[in-house]
């Protein structure tokens, strides 16, 4: 084996500071845990991005690389057409860690052989460590790990050292002798591997030489610089909803370009109760941002008349939003000498991934987001999406750095399509009134029970069914409302919140007694996955 060619690394590169923060790229081979790997890296103090396995090597090298992680995946290395990465990956001069499929692929590319495991491992296994230096430093010699594999490395020759084994996997962790490639057959990123975070930190700090310097303040300053470079002296239109994402985008843009920012709030008739008044008071009066309010309630509801398919709802809402923004841009341009060609949006990483428009063309399209994939192909604007690589909790941290008040930073998310995706089936003004009233009661009770900050998203859903009930000794046949409450860190996965029974009872009693047209309340106890957080 030819010795590893040590190219220019972050420690010696004179241009690293020009490439942005030190970055760890995760090549995603289809792992259900890929986003979790990215989070673990960010929590360790480095910026991370998910990339498609076949991303050109030149694009990988354009980042200020500290290391690369090859994720797991459902494929078999021996299968024809299974995902691969460029063999020149090992010439980039940075350490590479392969996890599960990523380990098998890396070993295969470096001369090892892969075969179906004699005994497949799914679930917990006991790892026996033979070499407790480097990757496995500080980890007990006998520890539990989480396995999920059918294939495993069968032979690696003299070019590798075996670092650890399990009873059925003789090469559970390996390291190449001359190339900084490391592989683990288990999943260190999941909580079921109790010392997994220590392993990842060993890779990042001991092996990659990570400085751990990435902070949200750095991200804010970098984005301000990028925005100024992109925009120049032109104006930017920002679609403001009053939610966390668009509010942080507006604050970031205002910091970057000041009065070149014009915010447009579109009242689409699909808002929560009193939302329009809240947004006007907060942003026009408190932040002194140039805010234009567009009343487009009739247009949106007309577009949605008779529409029941959720994807079609999102598309129509996305198209109408753009029409509103275009019209606003034309009106604003009429008073200036420069056309507005930039539109800023609060698109987040989960939005990109769920819409199938993210790091890989193979990403499954779970649902369209009105600002990702739900937009017309002929947009007419250059998009500015400074939060596109952030998770929700990171957006909140950015909001804190920008000085936004807690009451705004910790608002629960509200979807861009609004109540259109919480009013299942056909949308009517009468249904929206019922849903708004239910939602108001629900949030009042959650706040009263001091559960708002301990839950991450709580909302009511009006179901397209009716059920029999009894009120005042008489038969009723009225609507059913579902309550959804979840706890999550990144909104990529979520668990249903264990709301106390007495609180659920109070919510149900108030809704049925106070909201005319509802006689049944149910509680959604589905996790994400397999369910999504929103119902549509």
């Amino acid at each position: 084996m030819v010795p590893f060619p040590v190219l220019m690394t972050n420690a010696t590169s004179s241009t690293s500071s020009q490439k942005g923060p030190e970055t760890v790229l995760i090549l995603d081979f289809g792992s259900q845990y890929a986003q979790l790997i990215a989070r673990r890296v960010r929590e360790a103090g480095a910026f991370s991005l998910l990339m498609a396995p076949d991303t050109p090597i030149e694009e990988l090298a354009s980042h200020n690389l500290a290391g690369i992680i090859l994720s797991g995946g459902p494929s078999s290395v021996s299968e024809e057409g299974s995902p691969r990465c460029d063999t020149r990956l090992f010439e980039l001069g940075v350490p590479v860690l392969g996890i599960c499929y990523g380990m098998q692929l890396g070993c295969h590319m470096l001369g090892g052989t892969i075969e179906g495991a004699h005994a497949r491992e799914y679930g917990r296994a006991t790892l026996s460590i033979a070499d407790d230096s480097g990757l496995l430093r500080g980890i007990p010699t006998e520890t539990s790990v989480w396995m999920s594999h059918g294939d495993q490395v069968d032979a690696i020759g003299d070019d590798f050292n075996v670092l650890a084994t399990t009873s059925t996997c003789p090469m559970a962790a390996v390291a190449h002798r001359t190339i900084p490639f490391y592989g683990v057959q288990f999943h260190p990123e999941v909580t079921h591997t109790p010392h997994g975070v220590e392993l990842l930190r060993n890779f990042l700090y001991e092996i990659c030489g990570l400085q751990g310097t990435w902070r949200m303040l750095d991200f804010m300053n970098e984005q301000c610089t990028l925005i100024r470079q992109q925009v120049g002296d032109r104006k930017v239109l920002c679609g403001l909803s009053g939610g966390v994402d668009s509010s942080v985008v507006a604050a970031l843009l205002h910091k970057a370009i000041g009065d070149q920012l014009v915010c447009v709030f579109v009242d689409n008739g699909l808002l929560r109760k009193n939302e329009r008044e809240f947004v006007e008071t907060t942003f026009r009066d408190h932040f002194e941002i140039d805010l234009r309010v567009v009343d487009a309630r009739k247009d949106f509801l007309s577009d949605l008349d008779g529409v029941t398919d959720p994807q079609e709802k999102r598309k129509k809402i996305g198209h109408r939003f753009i029409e509103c923004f275009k019209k606003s841009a034309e009106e604003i341009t009429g008073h200036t000498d420069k056309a507005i060609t930039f539109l800023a949006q609060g698109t987040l990483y989960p939005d990109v991934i769920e819409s199938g428009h993210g790091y890989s063309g193979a990403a499954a399209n779970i649902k369209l987001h009105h600002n990702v994939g739900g937009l017309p192909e002929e947009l007419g604007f250059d998009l500015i999406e400074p939060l596109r690589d952030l998770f929700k909790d990171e957006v909140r941290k950015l909001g804190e750095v920008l000085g936004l008040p807690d009451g705004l930073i910790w608002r629960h998310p509200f979807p861009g399509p609004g109540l259109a995706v919480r009013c299942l089936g056909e949308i009517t003004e009468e249904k929206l009134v019922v849903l708004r009233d239910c939602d108001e009661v629900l949030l009042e009770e959650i706040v009263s029970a001091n559960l708002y900050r301990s839950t991450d998203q709580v909302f009511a859903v009006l179901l397209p069914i009716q059920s029999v009930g009894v009120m005042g000794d008489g038969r009723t046949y009225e609507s059913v409302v579902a309550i959804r409450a979840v706890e999550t860190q990144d909104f990529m996965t979520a668990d249903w919140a264990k709301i106390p029974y007495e609180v659920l009872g109070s919510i149900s009693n108030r809704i049925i007694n106070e909201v005319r047209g509802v006689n049944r309340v149910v509680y959604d106890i589905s996790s994400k996955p397999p369910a999504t957080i929103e119902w549509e």
Side-chain angles (χ1 to χ4, degrees):
M1 178 66 65
V2 177
F4 181 70
V6 180
L7 305 179
M8 185 170 288
T9 64
N10 290 337
T12 59
S13 173
S14 61
T15 61
S16 65
S17 62
Q18 300 172 10
K19 291 185 178 182
E22 54 183 359
T23 301
V24 175
L25 298 180
I26 295 104
L27 301 194
D28 182 11
F29 293 93
S31 170
Q32 60 180 316
Y33 305 126
Q35 292 83 20
L36 187 54
I37 301 172
R39 287 202 54 77
R40 294 287 183 255
V41 174
R42 293 189 187 188
E43 288 165 0
F47 190 58
S48 63
L49 287 173
L50 292 172
M51 307 289 284
D54 58 355
T55 300
I57 201 74
E58 293 78 14
E59 183 176 342
L60 299 181
S62 69
H63 295 272
N64 183 20
L65 278 179
I68 294 173
I69 297 176
L70 311 180
S71 84
S75 301
S76 172
V77 172
S78 59
E79 289 176 355
E80 184 177 351
S82 59
R84 294 286 196 271
C85 56
D86 196 314
T87 55
R88 293 177 294 168
L89 184 82
F90 299 108
E91 300 175 10
L92 288 174
V94 296
V96 178
L97 172 65
I99 297 174
C100 197
Y101 177 87
M103 170 188 176
Q104 298 163 16
L105 178 62
C107 289
H108 173 73
M109 293 168 66
L110 295 172
T113 59
I114 313 299
E115 290 188 0
H118 300 297
R120 297 186 176 193
E121 286 184 303
Y122 295 98
R124 285 186 174 86
T126 299
L127 187 76
S128 298
I129 295 177
D131 184 344
D132 61 358
S133 62
L135 187 67
L136 302 176
R137 183 190 302 276
I139 297 176
T141 54
E142 297 281 327
T143 184
S144 179
V145 295
W146 187 259
M147 290 284 195
S148 179
H149 68 98
D151 291 351
Q152 64 186 33
V153 177
D154 182 66
I156 50 178
D158 296 332
D159 292 322
F160 285 85
N161 288 326
V162 175
L163 306 180
T165 64
T166 71
S167 60
T168 59
C169 184
M171 284 163 274
V174 300
H176 199 278
R177 293 180 185 275
T178 57
I179 295 175
F181 171 74
Y182 301 80
V184 293
Q185 187 57 68
F186 52 91
H187 289 274
E189 69 274 21
V190 302
T191 55
H192 301 304
T193 300
H195 294 281
V197 171
E198 295 170 47
L199 183 151
L200 289 173
R201 290 181 68 87
N202 283 341
F203 175 72
L204 296 171
Y205 286 99
E206 300 294 330
I207 296 171
C208 296
L210 195 69
Q211 299 299 308
T213 57
W214 186 72
R215 298 290 183 271
M216 196 52 70
L217 177 63
D218 301 322
F219 180 87
M220 180 191 74
N221 292 330
E222 290 156 7
Q223 286 300 317
C224 284
T225 299
L226 291 173
I227 290 167
R228 293 187 195 105
Q229 291 173 349
Q230 183 179 2
V231 172
D233 61 352
R234 289 169 287 180
K235 284 187 174 289
V236 176
L237 206 63
C238 177
L240 185 61
S241 70
V244 178
D245 307 334
S246 66
S247 299
V248 171
V249 167
L252 180 63
L253 285 165
H254 194 252
K255 181 176 182 63
I257 58 175
D259 59 8
Q260 292 172 242
L261 171 68
V262 180
C263 289
V264 173
F265 174 77
V266 177
D267 184 349
N268 58 9
L270 303 167
L271 304 173
R272 283 176 171 169
K273 212 167 188 178
N274 303 320
E275 186 73 8
R276 176 170 171 174
E277 292 79 4
F278 168 80
V279 171
E280 288 191 89
T281 300
T282 301
F283 289 91
R284 181 178 287 153
D285 300 341
H286 182 70
F287 291 109
E288 299 182 351
I289 288 177
D290 186 355
L291 175 65
R292 317 294 173 93
V293 177
V294 177
D295 190 338
R297 290 175 288 183
K298 290 183 179 179
D299 292 332
F300 277 89
L301 293 180
S302 176
D303 290 342
L304 295 170
D305 186 30
V307 177
T308 59
D309 179 75
Q311 296 290 67
E312 190 64 23
K313 287 181 183 179
R314 290 176 179 272
K315 284 183 179 179
K316 286 183 175 292
I317 290 169
H319 281 251
R320 179 58 65 180
F321 265 119
I322 292 301
E323 289 303 313
C324 291
F325 293 141
K326 283 183 176 179
K327 185 176 180 180
S328 296
E330 291 170 359
E331 292 175 353
I332 297 167
T333 300
H335 301 286
T336 66
D337 57 352
K338 293 181 180 178
I340 295 181
T341 58
F342 292 102
L343 174 65
Q345 296 188 137
T347 306
L348 304 190
Y349 212 5
D351 300 338
V352 174
I353 294 169
E354 284 189 343
S355 298
H357 288 259
Y359 49 86
S360 170
N365 186 309
I366 300 169
K367 61 184 179 182
L368 289 177
H369 290 261
H370 81 286
N371 55 347
V372 188
L375 298 178
E377 292 184 8
E378 298 298 325
L379 186 62
F381 290 102
D382 291 327
L383 283 180
I384 297 177
E385 298 174 309
L387 312 183
R388 190 179 176 91
D389 294 326
L390 297 184
F391 292 96
K392 175 68 74 173
D393 59 318
E394 294 172 323
V395 174
R396 296 193 199 280
K397 290 178 183 176
L398 178 57
E400 291 175 347
V401 172
L402 287 163
L404 294 177
D406 281 355
L408 187 58
I409 292 172
W410 290 100
R411 286 195 93 194
H412 285 186
F414 187 66
L419 298 181
V421 292
R422 294 178 179 176
C423 181
L424 274 57
E426 185 177 1
I427 296 170
T428 66
E429 185 58 58
E430 294 74 22
K431 289 182 178 179
L432 291 172
V433 170
V434 170
L435 184 53
R436 283 193 191 97
D437 289 344
C438 291
D439 195 67
E440 182 180 44
V441 170
L442 169 62
L443 290 179
E444 283 178 359
E445 288 297 311
I446 291 296
V447 171
S448 177
N450 199 29
L451 294 172
Y452 193 80
R453 285 287 292 270
S454 62
T455 52
D456 296 290
Q457 195 165 355
V458 180
F459 56 90
V461 181
L462 185 63
L463 305 185
I465 57 174
Q466 292 184 309
S467 71
V468 174
V470 178
M471 287 187 181
D473 296 327
R475 178 184 184 275
T476 63
Y477 192 59
E478 295 179 326
S479 296
V480 179
V481 168
I483 303 303
R484 180 72 157 145
V486 299
E487 297 171 354
T488 178
Q489 270 196 319
D490 52 24
F491 290 82
M492 291 303 304
T493 61
D495 196 10
W496 58 280
K498 309 322 186 268
I499 303 295
Y501 291 151
E502 59 270 20
V503 178
L504 290 175
S506 180
I507 292 168
S508 177
N509 288 337
R510 281 197 60 193
I511 287 177
I512 291 172
N513 288 325
E514 297 177 25
V515 180
R516 186 176 296 276
V518 177
N519 69 356
R520 191 177 300 271
V521 175
V522 298
Y523 190 51
D524 182 350
I525 58 170
S526 308
S527 297
K528 175 186 179 181
T532 55
I533 295 176
E534 297 288 346
W535 276 47
E536 288 191 339

